[in-house]
Amino acid sequence: LFLFVFLSIASISSLLFATGCATDGLAKEKEYLLDGANISFTLSNIWEEEFNTTHDLSLTKLDSNLQFSVYKKTEINMTAEELLNKMIKAELVDSDSKSLIKKYNVNKTRNRIIYSKLYSATKDNVEQQYLFSVIDFDGSDTLVFAVYKARGSYMTYGIDDIQRLLIKMEWNGPKTELAYN
């Protein structure tokens, strides 16, 4: 009986260990930093960094891309909404056709305001959807432009995760008092 109990406990322990190791590999996340280390966020390690000269950080997974660019309000001299509209035009300039699918309500959270629009655009007979967002961190001189690009089915699947990421993104930098004339 003792041997049976011991072997049962050993089997259960090894099964739990193996399962834990397997799920641990799937659940790992990587931390990313923007604007030096002023902004941080984590994403599943499924995302891979790719070289991009247009954005500060460019990530890819399957048939989707996620890109971030950081701007200083005092350097660009525009509001978050103006930046969003300017960047949408720049990103979709080469599209054969484009249409606004949804303009999201301004999302005011505890320490940021998020402006977002979802577009569909076609280039060379390939349709993509784009979730464009600008994050304006309270008490900072920083705006973050983010664009998530995917085909329709991937967008439907991934859009909630991207929106949660934008809400969870952390401002670690100093508070800035801005004076506008």
Side-chain angles (χ1 to χ4, degrees):
L1 181 64
F2 174 76
L3 182 58
F4 175 74
V5 171
F6 176 75
L7 289 176
S8 296
I9 291 173
S11 296
I12 291 171
S13 297
S14 62
L15 180 62
L16 290 174
F17 177 75
T19 305
C21 289
T23 57
D24 191 36
L26 295 174
K28 289 206 187 271
E29 292 190 336
K30 180 176 178 184
E31 181 177 43
Y32 294 94
L33 302 174
L34 293 171
D35 192 30
N38 288 335
I39 301 165
S40 63
F41 61 94
T42 59
L43 277 174
S44 165
N45 62 4
I46 292 173
W47 289 93
E48 295 179 14
E49 262 184 86
E50 65 180 5
F51 179 75
N52 184 312
T53 58
T54 308
H55 300 281
D56 296 321
L57 177 63
S58 185
L59 304 168
T60 186
K61 81 170 183 177
L62 303 174
D63 281 340
S64 58
N65 297 313
L66 180 57
Q67 299 163 327
F68 299 92
S69 297
V70 177
Y71 297 92
K72 298 299 180 185
K73 295 174 194 174
T74 53
E75 294 173 3
I76 62 170
N77 198 28
M78 62 180 72
T79 67
E81 288 182 288
E82 291 169 337
L83 176 64
L84 179 63
N85 292 327
K86 176 184 175 186
M87 296 306 294
I88 290 171
K89 286 180 186 174
E91 290 282 333
L92 299 179
V93 70
D94 294 332
S95 299
D96 299 328
S97 66
K98 57 189 167 257
S99 62
L100 176 66
I101 295 173
K102 182 175 184 178
K103 179 181 178 183
Y104 291 87
N105 292 331
V106 174
N107 187 353
K108 295 180 182 181
T109 65
R110 59 184 161 82
N111 62 355
R112 77 201 67 207
I113 301 172
I114 303 171
Y115 304 85
S116 297
K117 294 181 180 181
L118 180 63
Y119 273 81
S120 176
T122 303
K123 181 178 178 182
D124 301 327
N125 293 322
V126 176
E127 182 184 357
Q128 298 276 337
Q129 290 189 354
Y130 298 79
L131 175 65
F132 296 104
S133 300
V134 171
I135 301 96
D136 184 356
F137 291 99
D138 290 346
S140 81
D141 182 34
T142 305
L143 297 173
V144 176
F145 170 72
V147 58
Y148 174 60
K149 179 175 84 171
R151 294 195 184 203
S153 59
Y154 284 110
M155 181 62 72
T156 302
Y157 178 73
I159 196 167
D160 291 338
D161 290 338
I162 300 304
Q163 290 173 324
R164 276 191 295 277
L165 162 71
L166 301 178
I167 291 170
K168 290 181 178 179
M169 195 177 270
E170 289 294 326
W171 173 256
N172 304 312
K175 294 286 184 187
T176 305
E177 296 296 325
L178 299 176
Y180 294 103
N181 294 328

